[in-house]
Amino acid sequence: VGITVIRSGTFHRYVLTRMVDQATQATGGRVEIGSFQFRWSGLRLDLYHVVLHGTEPAPRAPLFEADHLMVGLKIISLWQRKVDVNEIVIDHPSIHLSVGQSGATNLPQSPPAAPGTRPRNVFELAIGHFVVNAGELNYSDPHIPLDGEVHDLHAQVSFNSFRTEYKGLMGYRDGRIQYGEFNPLQHSIEARFEATPAGLTLDSVRVESGASTVSVQARLNGH
């Protein structure tokens, strides 16, 4: 009977509504989720057509949308009912960040944290694997004559629990930045990095624009 209830359309719609409500409360923006599938094997949650609306007016594209979002879970303690995120994969995310005439962005206002709660940092989350495939980023600001967009945004990040360290690769291709009446700057970026609570190390940052290539290495301390 329990299996029949879990697989029913009514239960599926109930869980979907609860996920949308929780996500809306957590982000402060209006969230839409087309459908989902949970696989007990591997504790994997697949969300399809995920949309987060910011404060942008209705005709404009939403702040964030993705074709597919996969979240892999890991059980820390059955007794304490503690579950953490082990893996996140985002396929074809599209971000539209804009600044209005008043100077405010279209980012939603996140609700304040409950009294006595302490936000967890990214190292406490210890996400084992994070992947972004074929993303897009668009930005516009009428006060500063700056417009930009990037395509094929991608990332591969892994966590080393023994060293409390994230190590990965992030970059994009077909980037365009235009300032005022100047010619747009076509470019691409590829960066390899290591991040620990003590700071960030950029092992290599490679920027290509036309026939020009710039390579950078840097170390940013967190203290």
Side-chain angles (χ1 to χ4, degrees), residues 37-53:
Q37 180 180 15
F38 184 77
R39 304 181 185 182
W40 291 101
S41 176
L43 294 178
R44 168 174 168 167
L45 175 64
D46 291 281
L47 306 176
Y48 300 95
H49 191 58
V50 181
V51 180
L52 170 61
H53 296 273

Side-chain angles (χ1 to χ4, degrees), residues 194-223:
E194 298 176 3
T196 68
L200 172 67
T201 299
L202 298 176
D203 297 323
S204 67
V205 179
R206 183 182 178 90
V207 182
E208 295 183 355
S209 178
S212 302
T213 301
V214 177
S215 296
V216 178
Q217 291 181 322
R219 168 72 182 176
L220 303 175
N221 293 323
H223 300 291

Side-chain angles (χ1 to χ4, degrees), residues 111-117 119:
T117 60

Side-chain angles (χ1 to χ4, degrees), residues 84-114:
D84 274 357
V85 176
N86 182 52
E87 182 178 19
I88 296 177
V89 177
I90 307 176
D91 292 317
H92 195 199
S94 181
I95 301 173
H96 295 84
L97 182 61
S98 61
V99 180
Q101 293 296 335
S102 63
T105 69
N106 62 329
L107 295 173
Q109 184 66 39
S110 300

Side-chain angles (χ1 to χ4, degrees), residues 20-209:
V20 169
D21 290 343
Q22 291 292 328
T24 297
Q25 293 177 14
T27 61
R30 183 166 62 89
V31 176
E32 299 175 7
I33 301 176
S35 62
F36 80 95
Q37 180 180 15
F38 184 77
R39 304 181 185 182
W40 291 101
S41 176
L43 294 178
R44 168 174 168 167
L45 175 64
D46 291 281
L47 306 176
Y48 300 95
H49 191 58
V50 181
V51 180
L52 170 61
H53 296 273
T55 59
E56 67 278 345
R60 295 189 178 179
L63 172 63
F64 172 86
E65 56 185 333
D67 292 343
H68 171 237
L69 169 63
M70 188 278 283
V71 180
L73 305 175
K74 58 181 176 182
I75 299 177
I76 304 300
S77 173
L78 287 174
W79 179 257
Q80 298 178 353
R81 293 182 296 180
K82 184 177 180 182
V83 179
D84 274 357
V85 176
N86 182 52
E87 182 178 19
I88 296 177
V89 177
I90 307 176
D91 292 317
H92 195 199
S94 181
I95 301 173
H96 295 84
L97 182 61
S98 61
V99 180
Q101 293 296 335
S102 63
T105 69
N106 62 329
L107 295 173
Q109 184 66 39
S110 300
T117 60
R118 181 179 65 88
R120 299 178 66 185
N121 62 46
V122 68
F123 295 99
E124 290 178 325
L125 291 176
I127 301 173
H129 195 212
F130 176 79
V131 180
V132 175
N133 296 314
E136 298 178 1
L137 172 63
N138 296 271
Y139 175 82
S140 63
D141 186 345
H143 302 87
I144 302 174
L146 178 65
D147 290 289
E149 60 180 338
V150 302
H151 300 273
D152 193 18
L153 179 66
H154 56 276
Q156 289 269 359
V157 184
S158 299
F159 182 74
N160 187 324
S161 58
F162 296 102
R163 301 180 59 180
T164 316
E165 173 189 73
Y166 283 101
K167 188 172 184 179
L169 164 70
M170 299 183 69
Y172 59 82
R173 300 182 181 90
D174 299 327
R176 181 188 65 84
I177 297 178
Q178 184 166 5
Y179 182 82
E181 300 299 325
F182 292 94
N183 292 329
L185 175 64
Q186 306 287 345
H187 66 289
S188 62
I189 293 179
E190 196 85 3
R192 297 183 181 274
F193 67 92
E194 298 176 3
T196 68
L200 172 67
T201 299
L202 298 176
D203 297 323
S204 67
V205 179
R206 183 182 178 90
V207 182
E208 295 183 355
S209 178

